[in-house]
Each structure stands twice: as C-alpha cells, then as structure tokens.
C-alpha cells in the first residue's frame, strides 16, 4: 500500500491543506492539524486549561454544513490565516493577536448566522488539538475501502468528505481494520493502530457544494454492518512521510 495524499486541517471544520511530505512526532498529530477552532459562545472551553470537548461545542461540518464553502489557508511561519467566505471580502488576519482572532471569529460568526450560538470565539491552546477524539492521533483511510462503499452506494464520494490525514492505495477493502492493536510502518515512521473511525453526519456534506447529498453512515451500516471507515493510529516512532511512501503492516511481536 502507498500514500496517495496527505492533508492537515488547521482550523476545525474548514479547508483541507494538501502536503507533499511532513514530519511526524511521537505522540502528536500532524503539525498544525486541528490547531484552531471556532468555539460556540456556550462552549466551556478554557484556553488556559484546555480540555477535550465534543465537536458540537465548535464550528463543525456535522452541524454547520455551510462551513464547507469557507476556503482557508494558514501560514504556520507567520501565523496568518486567509479566509474566503461566500458573499464577503477576503479576510487576512493574524492568529497571534487578539485583534486578528476577534476579526476571524466575527467573520465566521456572521457567516454562520442563526447557527452561531452566543458570541463564538476563535481559539487555540498550545499543545491542544481540536480533534474528534481525545487522543493525539493520525487518521488513515484505505482508498480500497472507500471504493467498496462507493460501489455499494452507487455514488462517487469525494475522499475529503472523510477529512482523514493520510489516504493510501492498494490492499483489499477494510484491510485496515485488521491492524487494530498492531504496528505499521509508514514512510520513515512507525505507528500503532488503535481504533476504527466511526462516521458521523459530517460525511453527508459535499465539500464542493456544502450540500448534504449523501448518507455514508447509513450506507456503511446497511451494506457492511458497521459505520466505520478508516482508522486512528498513534505515532510511536517519528520521521517523515511523503506522498508515494509505502505503508506496511508489521508482524505482531512474539
């Protein structure tokens, strides 16, 4: 199996950013992945004492399908974020200043309209990840599994519906489920696969149109008896991964 694409998602719910290669660090997510989020006004998130919260506390595609149409680009060196929001002028603001974060929050809040609760805040906390699971993990999808779902559903599905970090080709459908509890070699790195990814209504949203035009969780359940696509893995040995690198499931230790 080989890596076809690598993505990070600097702002939870917003644009995927493609990478040709990236360095992974043990016990961490991809650098800059889910670093920022728009916390709803009633979310009990405290940047000074960050704790994991479910996605409903933040702007997310499961609840806010229209976020799919917001195009974002993050510059990790400068800390600047560019937002292109439908119906608004492009916004270029710093994530490192209070004024910049306020401007970003205001723009996204205005776009969400009635879907915004209270006064949302654009937040981050050093070392914290706004991922869908409490642990700092890397998500991997086998494209053979996605093709099996497409065939069963009779519909082509953009892989970005599933917002994974790494998409790999080759192998048989659902092979990744056999890696649970096992180590894999991915490029220069080694990861331990820890769990399957249960799919939620966020995958109903077409990333190109912002419309809910598919039912992947229902189709997975009806055709395969589960609602899972992809796996989460923990980085246990760091190094670089790149498009074209091999993925190999390692034999369990005796």
């Amino acid at each position: 199996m080989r890596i076809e694409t690598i993505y990070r998602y600097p702002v939870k719910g917003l644009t995927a950013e493609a990478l040709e290669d990236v360095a992974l660090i043990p016990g961490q997510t991809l650098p800059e992945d889910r670093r920022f989020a728009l916390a709803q006004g009633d979310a009990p998130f405290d940047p000074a004492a960050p704790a994991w919260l479910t996605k409903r506390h933040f702007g997310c595609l499961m609840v806010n399908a229209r976020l799919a149409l917001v195009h974002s680009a993050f510059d990790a060196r400068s800390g600047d974020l560019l937002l292109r929001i439908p119906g608004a002028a492009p916004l270029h603001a710093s994530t490192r200043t209070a004024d910049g974060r306020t401007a970003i929050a205001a723009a996204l809040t205005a776009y969400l309209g009635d879907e915004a609760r209270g006064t949302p805040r654009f937040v981050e906390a050093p070392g914290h990840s706004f991922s869908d699971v409490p642990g700092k993990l890397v998500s991997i999808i086998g494209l053979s599994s996605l093709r099996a779902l497409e065939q069963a559903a009779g519909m082509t599905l953009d892989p970005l519906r599933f917002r994974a970090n790494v998409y790999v080709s080759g192998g048989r459908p659902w092979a990744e489920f056999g890696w649970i509890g096992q180590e894999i070699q991915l490029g220069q790195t080694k990861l331990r696969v820890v769990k399957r990814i249960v799919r939620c209504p966020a995958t109903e949203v077409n990333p190109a149109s912002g419309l809910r035009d598919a039912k992947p969780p229902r189709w997975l359940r009806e055709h395969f008896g589960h609602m899972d696509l992809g796996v989460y893995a923990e980085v246990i040995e760091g190094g670089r991964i790149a498009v074209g690198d091999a993925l190999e499931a390692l034999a369990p230790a005796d």
Side-chain angles (χ1 to χ4, degrees):
M1 303 178 77
R2 293 197 175 276
I3 297 175
E4 291 295 329
T5 50
I6 304 169
Y7 294 100
R8 68 179 186 184
Y9 308 82
V11 182
K12 186 176 185 68
L14 298 190
T15 307
E17 297 185 356
L19 304 171
E20 287 296 317
D21 64 278
V22 67
L24 300 185
I25 299 172
Q28 299 296 318
T29 63
L30 261 70
E32 318 303 338
D33 192 49
R34 277 81 171 188
R35 174 175 169 178
F36 307 99
L38 183 71
Q40 292 281 14
D42 55 4
F45 182 77
D46 181 359
W52 181 82
L53 296 172
T54 60
K55 66 180 74 175
R56 289 186 179 275
H57 290 288
F58 308 98
C60 65
L61 292 175
M62 183 177 74
V63 179
N64 315 114
R66 68 182 62 189
L67 286 178
L69 299 182
V70 177
H71 294 275
S72 62
F74 177 62
D75 185 334
R77 293 183 179 179
S78 68
D80 290 349
L81 180 69
L82 174 64
L83 295 180
R84 296 186 182 276
I85 299 175
L91 173 67
H92 189 271
S94 175
T95 63
R96 297 176 180 173
T97 68
D99 286 346
R101 293 188 296 271
T102 297
I104 294 167
L108 292 172
T109 298
Y111 178 64
L112 287 179
D114 292 342
E115 294 178 8
R117 304 194 303 268
T119 304
R121 299 165 292 146
F122 187 75
V123 294
E124 72 165 320
H128 184 76
S129 173
F130 294 98
S131 63
D132 289 347
V133 291
K136 293 184 177 181
L137 304 171
V138 173
S139 54
I140 303 170
I141 286 180
L143 291 171
S144 294
S145 302
L146 178 55
R147 298 290 93 82
L149 174 59
E150 290 178 326
Q151 184 173 10
M155 178 179 178
T156 299
L157 297 169
D158 188 332
L160 288 178
R161 285 179 185 264
F162 303 93
R163 298 180 68 79
N165 296 128
V166 179
Y167 293 85
V168 296
S169 61
R172 57 180 176 79
W174 318 114
E176 55 268 36
F177 292 168
W179 306 336
I180 306 299
Q182 192 172 336
E183 294 181 2
I184 59 173
Q185 186 78 39
L186 185 66
Q188 298 176 356
T189 71
K190 187 179 292 185
L191 300 89
R192 180 180 294 110
V193 180
V194 296
K195 64 187 297 185
R196 290 154 61 151
I197 304 175
V198 181
R199 291 302 166 180
C200 76
T203 61
E204 298 174 355
V205 180
N206 186 324
S209 69
L211 300 176
R212 295 188 185 276
D213 61 1
K215 300 288 184 181
R218 188 182 76 186
W219 295 336
L220 285 164
R221 184 178 64 249
E222 290 178 349
H223 295 287
F224 302 102
H226 57 74
M227 294 172 60
D228 308 335
L229 183 68
V231 293
Y232 284 119
E234 178 186 10
V235 181
I236 55 177
E237 291 184 13
R240 300 198 73 82
I241 63 172
V243 171
D245 280 353
L247 183 156
E248 179 183 359
L250 302 178
D254 294 332

